[in-house]
Amino acid sequence: MAAFSFYLSLSVVAWLCIFSVSSLSDHESFLRCFSSHVSPTANLSQLLYLADSPDYSSLLFSSIQNLRFASSETPKPLLIVAPADEFQVQASVICCRSHGLPIRARSGGHDYEGLSYRSEKSSSFVLLDLEKLRSVTVDVEHGVAWVEAGATLGELYYKVAEKSGRLGFPAGVCPTVAVGGHLSGGGFGPLSRKYGLAADNILDAKMVDADGRILVKESMGENLFWAIRGGGGGSFGIIISWKVKLVPVPATVSVFTVRRTMEQGAIELVHRWQNTAHKLHEDLLLRVDIVHVNRGDRRVVEAAFKSLFLGHCDGLLQHMGERFPALGVERNDCREMSWIDSAVYAAGYTNGEPAEILVNRELQPKDFNKGKSDYVTEPIPGATGSMHMDPWGGRMSEISESNIPFPHRKGNLFIILYLSTWRDEGVAASTKHLGWIRSMFRFMTPYVSKRPRAAYLNYRDLDLGRNEEGNASYRKAMAWGERYFKDNFRRLAMVKGEVDPQNFFSNEQSVPPFIAETGERPPINYIL
C-alpha cells in the first residue's frame, strides 16, 4: 500500500479539481474505494488516467473512429479507467456509482454516434476503456469460444482459424469492430443467412451490473440474459466477455465481386437483386453496394455485387446461373479460398493479404462519417445514392422476433446502410454531408418499413430521437426504442426497471427503466 499512498499524495490537487469534491476526505474516499476493490499490486498510473496526465489524450483518441467526435468541442471524460481484469471493471462501477459519476464503456470505438466514449449531457462522466480485455479462448472440441469485450472481430476470427480451419463465427465484416458492442446490438454478417446473428449464437456472458455484481447467465437470470443479446449491453451493465457458439464452415468457400455501371444495366440488376437475394440458398450471400466512383474526369454510379458461398465455385456458378443469370457471373470472376481468407476479402483486402492482417487494430482508416439504416419489406422501384444493402432470408427469417431483442426477421427483404464519409474538416463539409444523408433518408421514406420505420441499433442514429436530460420517460424513448426493437422494447424497459431502476447505465439512446414511468416495479419472475 506504500506505493498507492505515494500516488495518492502526489495526485490530491488534480483529483480535487477533477471531481469537484468538497473535502480531502471525499477525495480520499474515492481513491480508497478503488484501492479496496483492486489488487494491492495494481499500478494505478496504468489504470486511472486524469485529464492532465501525459497519456490521457492518446488513450482517449486511440479508438475514436469517427472524427466528428474527436474535436476540441466534444465533451471529454473527467477520468479514463483502463481495466485489465474483471475486478477492475467491478471497482469502476461500484466507485463511480457511490460517488455519483456517470460511466460510459468503450470496446472498440465504432459506435456511429460515439456514445460509448462521449456524452452530450452537461454532467461529467468516466470513460471505461476495455481495450485491455481482449483475450480469446477457443475450445475446438466443444465448438465454443470465450471472447472478452475488447477483442475485435478480426482477433476472434483469427484465433478461431488458428485452432481449426472448419470453424467460424457469424458476425460483421469490419475486423476492427470489437465484440463487446457488436454482439450486444445483434451483429449480422456474411454467415447470418446460414446461422443467424452473432447474438443468436451467444451461449453465456459475464457482466457487471449496476450493483457491482459480476454475473454470468445462471446468476443474471433469463430476463437479463435475453436483454443483453441484441438490446444493447450498455443499458444494463458492462459486458466483460461472451461465450459464443462457433459454427461449421467448409474447408473451401467461394467469393466474387462483380461491378456494373448505369450503362451496364446497374439499376435493373439492383431491382432484380431485390427480388432474388433473400430467396437464394442459405449457403449463398449476395450483397450489393451502390457507390459513386471516379472514372477519369467523371463521377459515375456503380453497383458492386459481392458474394460468399459456402462451397466451391462450381456450386456458386450453378446457383447464380439458375437464380440470377442476368448478373452474368463467369468462372474467372470466382475465387476459392479458406473461410478465414474470405474474412480478409470481405474486409476489402482482395489482393491475397495474409490472415494476420485481421489482428491489426489500426486497419480501419479514421474519417468523418454519419450513418443511418432502413429495413425494406417491398422492392424499391429505383435505387440511387450511396447505399450498402445486405439480404435477409435463410436462417434470419426462421428465428422468432421475440427470441432475442433484435426483432427484424421474417418479412424483411434486406437492410440498407446509408453512409456518408468525408475527410475535410470544418462546419461547411459536415453540413454538406449531413444534409445529403438526411435528404436521402427522407427521400426513401415511401419505400421502406413503416409503423415503425425500423432501424438497426448497431447503426445508431441520434436523428431518431435522444434522451436530452438523462431521464427520458419510457413514452419519450419509444421514439427510438420501437424503431430499434419494435414490440420487444417494452420488455427491455421492464428488464431495465428490474435490474437498474435508478438508471445508472444511461446514454442518449439507452433503454429507460419502465418503473420510472409507471411508478410500479414489475413482478420479479415475469415472462412476456
Side-chain angles (χ1 to χ4, degrees):
M1 294 300 293
F4 172 75
S5 300
F6 178 67
Y7 175 82
L8 178 66
S9 65
L10 288 178
S11 305
V12 166
V13 175
W15 283 81
L16 282 171
C17 293
I18 284 179
F19 290 107
S20 300
V21 291
S22 58
S23 68
L24 180 60
S25 61
D26 291 333
H27 163 252
E28 292 176 334
S29 172
F30 187 92
L31 293 180
R32 280 198 301 270
C33 181
F34 263 93
S35 65
S36 66
H37 288 90
V38 300
S39 168
T41 60
N43 185 344
L44 293 187
S45 66
Q46 295 179 4
L47 171 62
L48 308 174
Y49 295 83
L50 310 175
D52 60 351
S53 71
D55 297 323
Y56 173 92
S57 292
S58 61
L59 178 58
L60 175 62
F61 294 114
S62 62
S63 61
I64 292 181
Q65 306 296 337
N66 191 343
L67 296 180
R68 288 173 57 208
F69 309 122
S71 70
S72 58
E73 289 78 23
T74 302
K76 307 297 189 297
L78 295 176
L79 168 72
I80 303 175
V81 184
D85 61 44
E86 61 191 56
F87 302 109
Q88 292 174 2
V89 175
Q90 182 182 43
S92 303
V93 172
I94 291 172
C95 299
C96 284
R97 184 173 183 184
S98 65
H99 288 76
L101 288 167
I103 196 168
R104 299 286 169 102
R106 177 174 72 181
S107 299
H110 280 269
D111 187 317
Y112 270 61
E113 296 286 7
L115 300 186
S116 64
Y117 54 82
R118 72 180 185 101
S119 173
E120 293 190 336
K121 296 178 287 188
S122 58
S123 60
S124 303
F125 69 101
V126 170
L127 171 61
L128 196 61
D129 188 284
L130 303 176
E131 184 177 344
K132 293 178 182 176
L133 299 177
R134 54 199 290 189
S135 74
V136 180
T137 304
V138 178
D139 180 348
V140 173
E141 181 180 357
H142 296 94
V144 300
W146 272 102
V147 52
E148 289 187 318
T152 65
L153 296 180
E155 289 169 338
L156 171 59
Y157 297 159
Y158 185 78
K159 291 291 186 180
V160 171
E162 268 192 326
K163 298 291 185 178
S164 171
R166 302 301 295 270
L167 291 172
F169 186 69
V173 300
C174 181
T176 58
V177 167
V179 303
H182 185 71
L183 273 64
S184 75
F188 76 87
L191 294 178
S192 292
R193 297 189 69 251
K194 177 73 172 180
Y195 296 113
L197 303 170
D200 293 322
N201 291 276
I202 294 173
L203 300 174
D204 203 341
K206 183 177 288 188
M207 66 174 290
V208 177
D209 73 355
D211 294 323
R213 298 175 299 176
I214 298 177
L215 305 175
V216 294
K217 177 182 177 180
E218 182 177 1
S219 54
M220 73 178 71
E222 178 181 347
N223 292 318
L224 182 53
F225 185 62
W226 174 86
I228 62 175
R229 292 176 295 147
S235 290
F236 303 95
I238 308 296
I239 305 298
I240 298 171
S241 57
W242 300 106
K243 182 182 182 181
V244 298
K245 178 177 66 177
L246 304 178
V247 300
V249 293
T252 300
V253 304
S254 305
V255 300
F256 69 73
T257 299
V258 172
R259 305 179 188 276
R260 298 290 185 259
T261 64
M262 299 274 282
E263 293 79 5
Q264 295 170 318
I267 292 180
E268 175 60 25
L269 288 171
V270 170
H271 184 71
R272 293 193 183 193
W273 174 90
Q274 293 180 79
N275 289 281
T276 303
H278 66 287
K279 300 175 184 177
L280 294 172
H281 192 280
E282 63 181 12
D283 286 349
L284 173 56
L285 172 85
L286 181 62
R287 64 191 304 266
V288 61
D289 296 338
I290 302 176
V291 296
H292 295 262
V293 296
N294 292 317
R295 291 287 179 85
D297 59 352
R298 64 192 184 105
R299 192 167 176 81
V300 301
V301 177
E302 178 182 272
F305 296 85
K306 302 177 180 180
S307 179
L308 169 69
F309 177 65
L310 300 179
H312 291 271
C313 281
D314 289 345
L316 174 54
L317 293 171
Q318 180 178 347
H319 280 290
M320 294 302 298
E322 293 173 353
R323 303 303 301 273
F324 199 179
L327 188 56
V329 180
E330 299 178 351
R331 183 62 180 82
N332 59 4
D333 294 319
C334 188
R335 295 169 59 179
E336 295 181 344
M337 58 186 64
S338 65
W339 173 78
I340 190 63
D341 287 332
S342 78
V344 175
Y345 184 92
Y349 298 92
T350 60
N351 295 316
E353 287 87 347
E356 286 79 8
I357 199 170
L358 294 174
V359 302
N360 182 350
R361 296 174 76 101
E362 305 300 321
L363 273 180
Q364 181 74 17
K366 298 185 178 187
D367 54 27
F368 299 85
N369 65 71
K370 169 67 178 178
K372 300 175 79 69
S373 62
D374 264 319
Y375 288 90
V376 178
T377 57
E378 298 288 341
I380 301 169
T384 60
S386 295
M387 300 188 296
H388 305 268
M389 303 190 290
D390 286 86
W392 253 220
R395 181 64 178 148
M396 288 297 294
S397 296
E398 298 170 355
I399 300 173
S400 166
E401 287 192 357
S402 60
N403 193 60
I404 63 173
F406 180 98
H408 314 292
R409 305 289 188 169
K410 187 176 181 180
N412 290 295
L413 305 183
F414 56 94
I415 182 176
I416 299 176
L417 166 64
Y418 312 96
L419 184 62
S420 183
T421 62
W422 63 100
R423 294 295 179 91
D424 299 331
E425 296 186 38
V427 174
S430 292
T431 300
K432 172 185 174 183
H433 289 275
L434 293 176
W436 174 85
I437 194 169
R438 287 166 179 159
S439 65
M440 183 67 185
F441 190 73
R442 289 192 297 270
F443 172 80
M444 293 294 292
T445 301
Y447 310 115
V448 296
S449 60
K450 300 173 178 64
R451 302 186 189 92
R453 183 175 181 175
Y456 177 37
L457 179 63
N458 280 353
Y459 295 154
R460 194 188 298 277
D461 180 8
L462 287 179
D463 292 347
L464 304 181
R466 66 187 73 197
N467 180 359
E468 301 283 2
E469 304 298 328
N471 57 354
S473 66
Y474 171 78
R475 185 172 300 278
K476 181 176 181 179
M478 288 169 65
W480 62 86
E482 289 195 339
R483 290 179 181 241
Y484 292 137
F485 307 115
K486 299 173 68 175
D487 291 341
N488 292 332
F489 182 57
R490 178 182 174 87
R491 182 179 175 186
L492 283 170
M494 293 180 72
V495 175
K496 175 74 170 182
E498 179 182 338
V499 303
D500 185 16
Q502 302 303 315
N503 203 22
F504 175 64
F505 293 112
S506 66
N507 60 50
E508 285 74 8
Q509 280 193 343
S510 57
V511 175
F514 190 70
I515 59 172
E517 178 83 353
T518 64
E520 299 177 356
R521 181 180 292 275
I524 195 68
N525 291 320
Y526 67 88
I527 298 292
L528 297 181

